[in-house]
């Protein structure tokens, strides 16, 4: 049997040797990562906790990893925050949040035991490094009288002098839901009923607008309209729009994240509009947000893999985080309820090093080379016009990933990301992504972040995230082409330096 320390060292070396491992996106030191948890800024320092299995790149006996940063892009590992114990989390410490209980850092999370999850609580040291879980759940069971699909994941805030909590769930025969609770002390909770219930019918896995039979990773907050709109905890006395983030789930399948815009009266949430939070579906799953000291609403998501279990085992790692994103509510975005838009946090630009120089090519074509890159494009796209951006392309075209932005007759822009030729390897998800973008801007603004096997696209603030797995070392070309009534007015690109902590260790 290999000693744990040797196993950890070998696993890290294996993971860091994989050329498809992202270099500037956050990943665990090795092994398995999924949902972002407890994202917060505490005493000026950013904290990222996350679902983590240190034993290997597979989901089992989940712990909470922990990392800290001064700038949201350069991270240092801290000791494991939570590990499965002998009580209500003996099968795993699942997703949750960090709150400030009168100066005491406190984690509310889902402990898994006997095949089900229940709300648990852990109290932390002032540096957030040492955590002491309670030996019992703080809620013993789902509400009586409701037949629920699942019961896990938490959003906790202070409102009117009391604690409020949402737990992700679903009501059999009805749809996904977020169950609302109230407490004086975070330890004894009173059920207040469903905050809102979705539409669980029909079961259509191929319908990108279907919200599933259960809502995971619920998050709820206030966000006033405008690029600098005030954001904060839910408040039933506020007329500000309230936003509910959730991830659609169905019978063990992680489907896609959504965000609902509406009004909140202190007990119930009335939805005016639901939009897809990311057009890449499950590749930007389990979002969680927080408000930082700059007043930004910052969102993290888990970038799920798109290669099979055998490839993940051979790589020694699985899962990464998206780049943190700032959310804002565009009241003039083409819908009466507004449109939620996202952009990479400004700190990402501090990772830019040398600009990527254009490669020789035909007139009207822009071409660069890079696999860890930040690309900015501005274009005028008239009705019928189309902009094509080819990513991770080999010189002979054997491997390539294609982004297309087309202006329809109704004024909306259709986005398609085609992964059919993205890899020569088997066992990879090469299905396409598609969606639409509505904006009143004269010029279309496109931002693309590439990082070894990840692609994050932002078209006028609408995100599309995916994973691709090119096999050839020359799959590095980035080509921008326009046709019809499309004109590129600006195209720039930079190499992004890796931000992964050197010499990372799997801490006990």
């Amino acid at each position: 049997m290999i000693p744990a320390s040797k196993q950890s060292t070998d696993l890290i070396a294996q993971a860091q040797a994989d050329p498809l491992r992202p270099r500037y996106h956050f990943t665990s030191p090795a092994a398995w990562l999924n949902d972002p948890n407890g994202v917060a800024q505490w005493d000026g320092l950013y904290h990222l906790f996350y679902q983590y299995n240190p034993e290997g790149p597979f989901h089992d006996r989940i712990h909470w990893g922990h990392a800290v940063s001064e700038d949201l892009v350069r991270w240092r590992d801290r000791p494991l925050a939570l590990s499965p114990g002998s009580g209500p989390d003996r099968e795993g410490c699942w997703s949750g949040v960090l709150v400030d209980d009168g100066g005491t850092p406190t984690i509310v999370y889902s402990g898994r035991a006997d095949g089900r999850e229940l709300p648990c609580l852990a109290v932390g040291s002032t540096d957030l490094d040492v955590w002491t879980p309670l030996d019992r759940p703080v809620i013993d069971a789902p509400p009586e009288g409701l037949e629920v699909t699942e019961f896990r994941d938490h959003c906790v805030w202070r409102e009117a002098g009391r604690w409020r909590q949402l737990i992700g769930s679903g009501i059999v025969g009805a749809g996904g839901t977020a169950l609302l609770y109230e407490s004086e002390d975070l330890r004894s909770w009173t059920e207040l009923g469903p905050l809102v219930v979705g539409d669980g019918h029909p079961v259509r896995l191929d319908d990108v607008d279907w919200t599933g039979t259960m809502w995971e990773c619920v998050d709820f907050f206030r966000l006033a309209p405008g690029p600098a709109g005030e954001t904060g905890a839910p408040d039933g006395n506020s007329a500000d729009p309230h936003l509910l983030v959730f991830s659609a789930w169905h019978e063990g399948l992680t489907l896609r994240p959504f965000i609902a815009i509406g009004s909140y009266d202190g007990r119930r949430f009335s939805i005016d509009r639901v939009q897809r939070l990311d057009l890449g579906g499950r590749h930007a799953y389990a979002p969680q947000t927080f408000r930082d000291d700059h007043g930004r609403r910052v969102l993290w998501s888990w970038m799920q893999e798109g290669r099979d279990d055998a490839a993940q085992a051979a790589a020694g790692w699985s899962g990464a985080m998206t780049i943190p994103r700032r959310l804002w509510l565009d009241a003039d975005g083409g819908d009466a309820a507004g449109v939620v838009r996202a952009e990479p946090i400004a700190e990402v630009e501090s990772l830019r090093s040398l600009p990527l120089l254009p490669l020789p090519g035909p007139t009207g074509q822009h071409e660069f080379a890079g696999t860890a890159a930040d690309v900015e494009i501005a274009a005028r796209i008239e009705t019928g016009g189309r902009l094509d951006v080819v990513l991770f392309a080999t010189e002979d075209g054997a491997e390539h990933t294609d982004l297309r932005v087309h202006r329809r007759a109704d004024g909306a822009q259709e986005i398609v990301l085609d992964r059919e030729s993205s890899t020569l390897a088997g066992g990879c998800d090469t299905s396409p992504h598609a969606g639409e973008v509505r904006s009143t801007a004269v010029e279309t603004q496109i931002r693309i972040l590439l990082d070894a096997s990840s692609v994050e696209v932002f078209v006028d603030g609408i995100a599309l995230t995916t994973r691709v797995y090119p096999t050839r070392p020359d799959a590095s070309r980035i080509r921008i082409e326009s046709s019809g009534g499309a004109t590129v007015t600006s195209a720039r690109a930079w190499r992004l330096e890796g931000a992964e902590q050197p010499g990372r260790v799997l801490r006990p």
Side-chain angles (χ1 to χ4, degrees):
M1 183 174 182
I2 301 174
S5 60
K6 179 72 162 81
Q7 183 182 44
S8 298
T9 302
D10 289 350
L11 197 58
I12 291 171
Q14 180 184 353
Q16 293 187 343
D18 180 13
L20 293 173
R21 178 179 168 88
R23 302 304 176 189
Y24 63 87
H25 286 76
F26 183 86
T27 58
S28 60
W32 173 271
L33 169 151
N34 61 293
D35 305 0
N37 293 154
V39 295
Q41 190 174 17
W42 189 282
D43 289 336
L45 192 65
Y46 292 106
H47 291 262
L48 169 64
F49 299 87
Y50 56 93
Q51 297 282 275
Y52 178 44
N53 174 21
E55 295 302 316
F58 49 90
H59 188 275
D60 185 52
R61 281 183 57 79
I62 292 298
H63 301 55
W64 273 40
H66 182 200
V68 297
S69 173
E70 285 83 15
D71 62 4
L72 281 171
V73 292
R74 298 171 180 87
W75 294 89
R76 304 188 305 279
D77 290 308
R78 302 305 302 155
L80 292 178
L82 298 176
S83 299
S86 58
D89 60 7
R90 59 186 173 272
E91 294 174 7
C93 305
W94 285 23
S95 291
V97 293
L98 168 68
V99 296
D100 182 348
D101 184 14
T104 300
T106 304
I107 287 174
V108 181
Y109 67 104
S110 293
R112 181 174 174 83
D114 302 324
R116 66 173 186 167
E117 298 83 49
L118 291 174
C120 294
L121 185 145
V123 175
S125 58
T126 55
D127 61 3
L128 279 63
D129 275 353
V130 179
W131 295 88
T132 304
L134 298 188
D135 60 3
R136 59 174 179 81
V138 294
I139 297 175
D140 294 327
E144 292 185 7
L146 283 183
E147 185 180 2
V148 300
T149 52
E150 299 288 334
F151 184 69
R152 61 174 174 267
D153 307 337
H154 312 269
C155 174
V156 180
W157 70 94
R158 292 284 291 178
E159 183 179 351
R162 295 174 178 240
W163 289 103
R164 288 289 180 93
Q165 175 178 193
L166 291 179
I167 299 177
S169 190
I171 300 173
V172 174
T177 189
L179 300 174
L180 181 62
Y181 290 80
E182 187 173 75
S183 172
E184 296 280 358
D185 60 3
L186 291 173
R187 288 156 177 80
S188 298
W189 293 88
T190 300
E191 177 209 344
L192 300 180
L195 179 77
V196 65
V197 180
D199 180 7
H201 300 285
V203 176
R204 295 171 53 195
L205 298 181
D206 61 341
D207 181 354
V208 295
D209 294 317
W210 182 54
T211 62
T213 54
M214 185 263 178
W215 292 351
E216 295 190 283
C217 304
V218 291
D219 193 6
F220 192 43
F221 53 89
R222 250 182 326 112
L223 184 60
E230 181 183 349
T231 179
D235 182 351
N237 293 317
S238 173
D240 284 342
H242 282 67
L243 280 68
L244 177 69
V245 175
F246 60 91
S247 293
W249 180 97
H250 175 68
E251 296 182 353
L253 297 176
T254 56
L255 301 178
R256 59 195 67 88
F258 289 93
I259 189 163
I261 308 166
S263 57
Y264 170 60
D265 65 6
R267 292 291 290 267
R268 300 292 178 259
F269 177 55
S270 178
I271 296 177
D272 295 324
R273 180 175 183 269
V274 177
Q275 73 175 71
R276 295 160 66 189
L277 186 54
D278 191 293
L279 303 183
R282 70 180 184 89
H283 294 296
Y285 198 75
Q288 189 175 104
T289 76
F290 71 102
R291 182 189 186 277
D292 77 354
D293 291 347
H294 301 293
R296 299 178 297 186
R297 179 58 55 173
V298 179
L299 176 141
W300 286 93
S301 298
W302 164 38
M303 288 197 298
Q304 292 191 41
E305 297 296 328
R307 53 181 173 177
D308 61 25
D309 292 346
Q312 294 173 53
W317 69 281
S318 177
M321 296 297 176
T322 61
I323 283 294
R325 301 170 183 176
R326 184 184 73 90
L327 298 182
W328 64 283
L329 180 59
D330 182 3
D332 301 317
D335 188 279
V339 174
V340 179
R341 303 194 189 274
E343 64 181 6
I345 54 163
E347 290 88 336
V348 173
E349 296 179 16
S350 71
L351 299 178
R352 290 174 176 174
S353 59
L354 296 176
L356 298 180
L357 299 178
L359 300 174
T363 302
Q365 177 176 297
H366 304 264
E367 189 163 356
F368 308 91
T371 58
D374 184 353
V375 183
E376 290 185 349
I377 304 166
R380 291 179 178 269
I381 306 177
E382 307 296 337
T383 300
R386 186 172 117 175
L387 186 73
D388 291 83
V389 186
V390 183
L391 309 166
F392 291 120
T394 57
E395 190 170 359
D396 63 2
E399 287 184 325
H400 55 93
T401 298
D402 301 328
L403 171 69
R404 297 190 291 273
V405 182
H406 169 72
R407 177 80 69 180
R408 299 192 313 232
D410 65 359
Q413 296 180 102
E414 185 177 43
I415 308 173
V416 176
L417 196 141
D418 185 345
R419 297 187 290 170
E420 184 178 6
S421 300
S422 62
T423 182
L424 297 175
C428 295
D429 180 359
T430 58
S431 59
H433 303 291
E436 71 171 31
V437 174
R438 292 186 179 274
S439 172
T440 58
V442 175
E443 282 195 337
T444 300
Q445 302 295 325
I446 301 172
R447 180 92 175 266
I448 304 171
L449 298 177
L450 304 179
D451 194 4
S453 60
S454 75
V455 180
E456 292 185 79
V457 176
F458 302 84
V459 178
D460 287 338
I462 301 300
L464 190 161
T465 303
T466 195
R467 305 298 301 279
V468 296
Y469 302 92
T471 63
R472 287 179 31 178
D474 66 330
S476 63
R477 289 182 172 246
I478 305 163
R479 189 169 62 253
I480 305 165
E481 301 174 335
S482 55
S483 59
T487 304
V488 174
T489 57
S490 174
R492 301 181 296 171
W494 297 264
R495 177 184 174 184
L496 293 190
E497 294 291 349
E500 184 168 70
Q501 177 183 348
R504 300 182 71 177
V505 295
L506 293 171
R507 296 175 181 266

